[in-house]
Amino acid sequence: MSKHRRSTGPGATFGLWNRIAVIVAGILLVSWGGPAATAFWGSISGGPGAAKADTVAQGSKPTTAVSGGNVTVTWAASTTAAGRSVTGYSIARYATATAGTRIAAAGTCTGTVAALICADSNVPTGTWYYTVTPLLSAWQGAESTRSAATAVDATAPGAPVITAPVYVYSGNVNKVPVSGTAEPGSTVVLTVTGAGAQPLTETMTANGSGNWTAPILNMSAFNEGNINYSARATDAAGNTSPAGTADSTKDVTAPTVTGVRLNNGGATAGKVDSGDFVTLTFSEPLKASTICSTWTSPASTQTVSGNGNNRVVVNVSANDVLTVTTNSCPVLRVGSVALGGEYTSSNLSFNTPNSGGVLHWSSTSQALTITLGGGNAGGATLGSDTIPTYTPASDLTDVAGNALGTSSVPGAPSRF
């Protein structure tokens, strides 16, 4: 039996060379097209001219979503004309809807992306257009049409301004007012911290003018001392501001009277006369303006003295109670001092035109001193100390605003 042999005739030879030529032509085509060529050559099947070209389809138009300076890009999968899956995608953005400079995306969109989603990070503020280019080994398809305009606001709002009371005191501790300003329309998150309790957090929206007001804040649980406020604003694009800060001092302890003393400064010990003075001391500095409405708080010392119409007038009644008046203070709050002894049986006024009394406050020594000016002395002379009693006026407060009680307080044994 004779064996079959592969034909070596002219036809066979021509078919072999034909296939080689097609392959060479495909290699040259790819070589000329470089990495951007959209065609590649498939495997060789039997028969003349069996080498077949396949193409990478154009990328699909991407969609975008923005959060602050980050843009999430999504797109549909690409294949070749023959249905072969691509191996990845190249993501870029442009500053214009057509033409312009291609800018490679950053973040998880850097290089070749195998997934169908990525996030371009730290994108500058502006309007951007994204494209997707499918890749298959050394070949790539045509760049997609550009995405819809993607507006990026990567600029963080300015730090909110916080308006809080200087003091949290007994009168506002359960309803502390806190407000401020921030970028209009932004979401403001306020955090309040202090010793002794968990932080308080409130979320507000700044109105069209940028104003915001926190709900009523109850700070009863915090210890006395420093209260800290911190607020951050987040705009509609998702950018968050640096923190704006403010502080309050919590003081809910009411002041008390710690001393009442009569002091002899006049000509005769035991007699009420010009130069004698009363010293009232307190557990902490009072708010000076609650004593005399023209005094500035928190100045360390304040004094009212002088002659004429603005002099300090010290009165001692027939029942030995000392009070003070002066035209220098439109509102004067001192109270009264019961001297504790029979200095006079008639009403006395130490207020001569050329020798007015003196009203002096010292926040350093926490003392209010009342000195008697010129006038007639009392008719009696005490031979021993007595116990004076001070009854404060209403509406005297400490620097924080806590009210001094109005109950009478006995002092130290003493006399003019």
Side-chain angles (χ1 to χ4, degrees):
M1 179 182 295
S2 64
K3 295 181 179 179
H4 295 285
R5 296 183 179 178
R6 182 183 297 271
S7 172
T8 58
T13 301
F14 176 78
L16 175 61
W17 282 107
N18 188 37
R19 279 176 288 187
I20 292 172
V22 170
I23 293 172
V24 171
I27 293 172
L28 291 174
L29 174 61
V30 172
S31 178
W32 292 332
T38 60
F40 68 95
W41 295 95
S43 59
I44 300 173
S45 59
K52 297 185 295 183
D54 196 0
T55 56
V56 180
Q58 181 183 23
S60 64
K61 180 179 179 179
T63 59
T64 57
V66 182
S67 176
N70 298 319
V71 177
T72 300
V73 185
T74 57
W75 61 93
S78 294
T79 62
T80 68
R84 185 188 299 270
S85 297
V86 299
T87 54
Y89 304 87
S90 174
I91 315 303
R93 55 181 157 86
Y94 295 82
T96 55
T98 59
T101 302
R102 184 181 191 275
I103 301 171
T108 58
C109 295
T110 302
T112 299
V113 180
L116 300 177
I117 184 171
C118 65
D120 189 10
S121 60
N122 300 317
V123 181
T125 297
T127 301
W128 301 96
Y129 302 83
Y130 282 81
T131 64
V132 172
T133 302
L135 306 173
L136 177 58
S137 297
W139 294 272
Q140 68 182 39
E143 188 175 35
S144 71
T145 56
R146 299 184 188 186
S147 69
T150 303
V152 174
D153 176 4
T155 303
V161 175
I162 303 172
T163 301
V166 176
Y167 290 97
V168 173
Y169 68 107
S170 57
N172 69 1
V173 65
N174 62 348
K175 51 184 177 183
V176 180
V178 180
S179 59
T181 57
E183 182 176 300
S186 63
T187 299
V188 179
V189 177
L190 172 71
T191 302
V192 185
T193 57
Q198 293 297 313
L200 299 175
T201 301
E202 295 290 350
T203 302
M204 296 73 63
T205 300
N207 65 19
S209 299
N211 300 312
W212 57 268
T213 301
I216 292 174
L217 296 172
N218 188 339
M219 299 188 187
S220 300
F222 291 117
N223 295 344
E224 289 194 334
N226 201 42
I227 303 291
N228 304 110
Y229 308 89
S230 176
R232 294 181 184 272
T234 301
D235 63 18
N239 303 296
T240 299
S241 74
T245 60
D247 298 281
S248 294
T249 298
K250 182 178 178 181
D251 174 6
V252 294
T253 302
T256 59
V257 178
T258 58
V260 183
R261 176 173 288 276
L262 307 181
N263 304 278
N264 176 47
T268 304
K271 184 183 290 288
V272 57
D273 57 4
S274 178
D276 288 342
F277 60 98
V278 180
T279 303
L280 307 171
T281 55
F282 304 89
S283 60
E284 59 180 300
L286 299 184
K287 188 173 184 178
S289 61
T290 66
I291 303 171
C292 173
S293 58
T294 59
W295 284 352
T296 303
S297 296
S300 59
T301 61
Q302 303 280 358
T303 302
V304 174
S305 62
N307 302 319
N309 291 331
N310 292 324
R311 65 188 181 275
V312 173
V313 179
V314 180
N315 297 301
V316 179
S317 68
N319 59 352
D320 298 290
V321 175
L322 182 149
T323 57
V324 185
T325 62
T326 178
N327 290 333
S328 294
C329 299
V331 179
L332 178 66
R333 302 181 186 91
V334 173
S336 61
V337 180
L339 302 180
E342 296 183 3
Y343 285 96
T344 181
S345 58
S346 60
N347 293 330
L348 303 176
S349 182
F350 296 87
N351 65 345
T352 59
N354 296 318
S355 180
V358 178
L359 188 65
H360 177 78
W361 165 252
S362 171
S363 62
T364 303
S365 59
Q366 301 163 194
L368 179 66
T369 304
I370 306 165
T371 303
L372 283 62
N376 295 324
T381 301
L382 275 64
S384 61
D385 291 343
T386 60
I387 296 178
T389 301
Y390 171 50
T391 303
S394 60
D395 298 324
L396 288 169
T397 73
D398 62 13
V399 175
N402 300 296
L404 178 72
T406 56
S407 298
S408 298
V409 180
S414 56
R415 59 176 170 160
F416 283 141

